[in-house]
Amino acid sequence: MLRRIALALSASLLACVASAATLPSNLMLPEPARAARGYVESWVFNIELTGDELNGMEPCRKILAERGFAPTLSKTATTAAPSLHFKIVGHKAYAQASTEADDTLAALQQAKCSGTLSWTVFAKAARP
């Protein structure tokens, strides 16, 4: 049986990737009791960057592409919020815990792209 557990944290891209209390790699650790019963877990790390300026987000899109996150771009506007907003979304699967996700967040923070960064780690647990 496949069970998905969503662990989500959000942070302002300009404010606090480095000061975030929980890093993605901390969430990618299997639960010891479940692992002892034979559950196998893999991880999907999702990153979403939203903002008003596409040019200010472009360096982060490039970082995601270089690190294998296959970023996609969408543009939105609604009657409630008629100004144009941009969203870059990328994801990457990991077979086990990895600090590569932490390194990606640090690279995005160093790039100082405009917008707000949100990230989520999904654990996929399945009995072998």
Side-chain angles (χ1 to χ4, degrees):
M1 180 172 129
L2 184 62
R3 186 179 133 201
R4 295 183 87 188
I5 304 168
L7 305 167
L9 295 173
S10 297
S12 167
L13 180 60
L14 300 176
C16 67
V17 171
S19 65
T22 303
L23 295 172
S25 62
N26 295 338
L27 299 174
M28 292 180 179
L29 299 175
E31 291 181 43
R34 291 175 56 80
R37 292 192 312 252
Y39 282 91
V40 177
E41 293 179 303
S42 61
W43 310 95
V44 177
F45 180 45
N46 294 312
I47 295 179
E48 183 177 298
L49 181 63
T50 58
D52 298 331
E53 295 180 25
L54 181 58
N55 289 343
M57 297 166 57
E58 184 60 20
C60 287
R61 188 202 62 75
K62 287 181 181 178
I63 289 169
L64 292 174
E66 290 168 357
R67 294 175 182 251
F69 280 79
T72 58
L73 171 68
S74 62
K75 299 181 255 183
T76 61
T78 64
T79 54
S83 63
L84 192 58
H85 291 77
F86 299 95
K87 183 188 297 186
I88 296 173
V89 177
H91 65 277
K92 188 167 183 179
Y94 295 92
Q96 59 189 8
S98 174
T99 58
E100 180 185 296
D102 304 342
D103 296 340
T104 300
L105 285 176
L108 293 172
Q109 194 259 347
Q110 289 174 359
K112 297 184 180 180
C113 300
S114 63
T116 302
L117 175 73
S118 300
W119 56 272
T120 310
V121 172
F122 288 97
K124 292 184 178 181
R127 193 178 269 286

